[in-house]
Amino acid sequence: MAIKVKNPLVEIDGDEMARIIWHMVKDDLLRPYLDMQTVYYDLHIKRRDETDDQITVDAAKAIAQYGVGVKCATITPNDARVEEYGLKKCWPSPNGTIRGILDGTVFRKPIVVKNIPPTVRTWKKPIIIGRHAYGDIYKNQEIQVKGPGKGELVFTPADGGNPIRLTIHDFKGPGVLQGIHNTEKSIRSLARACIQYAISQRVPLWFGAKDTISKTYHAYFRDVFQEEVDRHKAELEAAGVQYFYTLIDDAVARIMRHEGGVLWACMNYDGDVMSDMVASAFGSLALMTSVLVSPDGPMEFEAAHGTVQKHYYAYLKGQPTSTNPTAIIFAWTGALARRGDLDGTPEVVDFARKLEAAVIETIEGGVMTQDLTRVAEGPTRQVSTEGFIGAVKERLESKL
Ligand code: NAP
Ligand code: MG
C-alpha cells in the first residue's frame, strides 16, 4: 500500500546529469511507495529560455504558496551555455531568483556516514551553516586612495535632516577605503529563517559576530537577532531549541571541539568562508544538502552540487557513470519530511527517515559511487549510478 502524501510538493526539475538522476530517484525510490502529487515546474535551460524565465518566478511563487519545494540542480548560463543551447540571453541564476522572491536564507547541511569520517575528529553530527546572503562586503563601495586626503563616512537623511559625517581616516599617503551596509529588514529575515530552520531540525542555534570591536555595526546584528529570538521565545522553547550568542572567534574555537548537531548562523563573509571549510571537512560535495528557508516558513530543498556536466557528457556518449545520487535523494527526503511535519502525517516522515537510513547503510556497507571510494575508509565496492540506486532500493524494501 502506497503511503499518502496529503498535500502537494513543488517539484522543480533541472539540467544535465542531475536531471537524469532526478528521474531515476523518482521512478525507483519514490513513486512505487508514495501516493504523492507534485506541482511540477520544468526549469530545464530551454524551458527557461522559452518562457523568458517566467517559469522560475512561477516556481518560486508556488513554493511560497504550498510551503515545500524540492529542486534539481540547474545550469546558470554563461557565454558558453548561451552558445551551447542557443539561448536568447544569459538568464540569471535560478537560485538567485528564487532566493530573492522567497527572501530566503540558505542552509548547508552535510550528510554524515561512519566510513567517511570528518577531518575534524570531534565532529559526529552535521554542522549546519546559515549564511546571511545580503550586504556587507558583497555590496560595498571601495576606493584605492592614491595619496594624502580625508576618507569620510557620510549619511544624508532623506527627510532633509542634518547629515552625519565621520572621519574614517586622515590619509598621509596611499591606502584603501571601503563602505559597507546592511538593512534591518534583511537581518531580521536572516534571524527568522534561522529560528524557523532550527525549530524544524530541533537543533541549538548559534550566532557569532565581532561586537566587541564593531560596537555599532556588528552589535546591531546581535541586537536584531536577539529581538527576533525574544519574539519567538515560546516556539523555540516548545521545540527545545536553545539560542546561544557568542563572539565569532569563540564560536570558531568552540565549533572545532564540538560534536556538531548545531545550526551556526553567520554573517555574510563568515558564512562564505566557514561553509567552505565545513563542507570540505565533511568529505564530499555529493554529501552536502542545501535548504532555502523563507522567514515565513516555506522551504526549498536541494543538493548543494551542480548539474555534474562532465558526467552528463559521458552519459550521453553511452559510457557508464558513477555519479552520486545521495544529496538528491536527501533533497527529496528533506522535502517529504517537512511536508509530513506540516501535514501532520508521521508515516510520510517515517518513510523519509527509512529512505535516508537505507542510503547511509548502503554507503556504510561499502557500496558507493566513485567520488566516495576515493575518500572512504575500509573496504569499498564501486558501483554505477544505477547500481547505487538499486542497492538503496533493496535496503529500503527490507525496512518497509
Ligand atoms: P558540479 O556540477 O557540482 O560538479 C563539479 C564536480 O564535482 C563534478 O565534475 C564532479 O567531479 C563532482 N561532483 C559534483 N556532484 C557530484 C555527484 N553528485 N557525484 C559525483 N561527483 C560529483 O559543478 P560545476 O561543474 O561547476 O557546474 C556544472 C553546472 O551546474 C553549471 O552550469 C552550474 O551553473 C551549475 N550549478 C548549479 C547549481 C544549483 O543549481 N544549485 C549549483 C552549482 C552549479 P569529477 O568530475 O571529478 O567526478
Ligand atoms: Mg565560499
Side-chain angles (χ1 to χ4, degrees), residues 15-16 21 71-78 81 93-95 108 284-287 290 302-311 322-328 369-372 374:
D15 292 298
E16 300 192 315
I21 295 175
K71 180 179 169 290
C72 179
T74 44
I75 290 170
T76 296
N78 53 18
R81 299 300 203 159
S93 150
N95 285 17
R108 286 190 144 204
S284 167
L285 193 51
L287 294 181
S290 175
E302 68 169 340
H305 63 75
T307 61
V308 213
Q309 181 182 13
K310 271 192 248 161
H311 296 212
S322 186
T323 315
N324 191 345
T326 299
I328 294 177
T369 45
Q370 191 183 13
D371 55 309
L372 297 187
R374 291 179 204 148

Side-chain angles (χ1 to χ4, degrees), residues 69-290:
V70 56
K71 180 179 169 290
C72 179
T74 44
I75 290 170
T76 296
N78 53 18
D79 292 344
R81 299 300 203 159
V82 170
E83 176 144 347
E84 182 182 355
Y85 287 93
L87 305 178
K88 290 181 212 161
K89 62 182 250 197
C90 205
W91 301 106
S93 150
N95 285 17
T97 302
I98 296 169
R99 192 166 66 216
I101 291 170
L102 293 176
D103 186 21
T105 300
V106 175
F107 298 89
R108 286 190 144 204
K109 181 183 177 188
I111 299 156
V112 179
V113 287
K114 286 203 195 88
N115 45 350
I116 302 172
T119 318
V120 178
R121 254 184 294 135
T122 53
W123 292 359
K124 302 276 181 269
K125 295 186 237 167
I127 292 165
I128 310 167
I129 302 260
R131 174 183 169 188
H132 187 212
Y134 177 82
D136 301 353
I137 64 163
Y138 303 84
K139 274 211 185 310
N140 67 355
Q141 290 291 351
E142 317 185 305
I143 298 170
Q144 190 182 336
V145 172
K146 301 284 187 215
K150 191 150 83 163
E152 290 181 303
L153 186 62
V154 183
F155 174 72
T156 314
D159 66 6
N162 286 331
I164 302 169
R165 186 178 289 270
L166 300 173
T167 301
I168 296 174
H169 190 65
D170 260 319
F171 286 91
K172 307 285 181 254
V176 280
L177 192 60
Q178 165 174 249
I180 61 170
H181 83 284
N182 224 297
T183 66
E184 180 188 337
K185 179 172 178 291
S186 177
I187 301 167
R188 244 178 240 294
S189 291
L190 166 75
R192 284 167 51 208
C194 289
I195 290 164
Q196 293 285 341
Y197 195 54
I199 289 172
S200 83
Q201 299 289 302
R202 303 280 194 276
V203 289
L205 171 58
W206 294 14
F207 179 51
K210 193 73 183 177
D211 59 318
T212 46
I213 297 297
S214 173
K215 291 194 166 67
T216 304
Y217 197 106
H218 283 229
Y220 187 70
F221 273 78
R222 177 200 63 207
D223 293 346
V224 171
F225 217 108
Q226 186 66 51
E227 276 172 32
E228 288 301 320
V229 167
D230 293 342
R231 203 171 278 177
H232 294 84
K233 198 162 175 263
E235 285 165 71
L236 286 163
E237 270 173 14
V241 171
Q242 302 238 327
Y243 175 66
F244 175 56
Y245 174 82
T246 186
L247 265 180
I248 183 67
D249 339 26
D250 183 48
V252 170
R254 279 172 192 264
I255 242 12
M256 296 310 283
R257 49 184 154 76
H258 201 268
E259 61 162 11
V262 298
L263 166 54
W264 182 11
C266 290
M267 287 176 70
N268 208 344
Y269 177 80
D270 299 334
D272 183 348
V273 176
M274 289 303 156
S275 63
D276 286 320
M277 185 189 76
V278 168
S280 139
F282 272 107
S284 167
L285 193 51
L287 294 181
M288 186 61 76
T289 62
S290 175

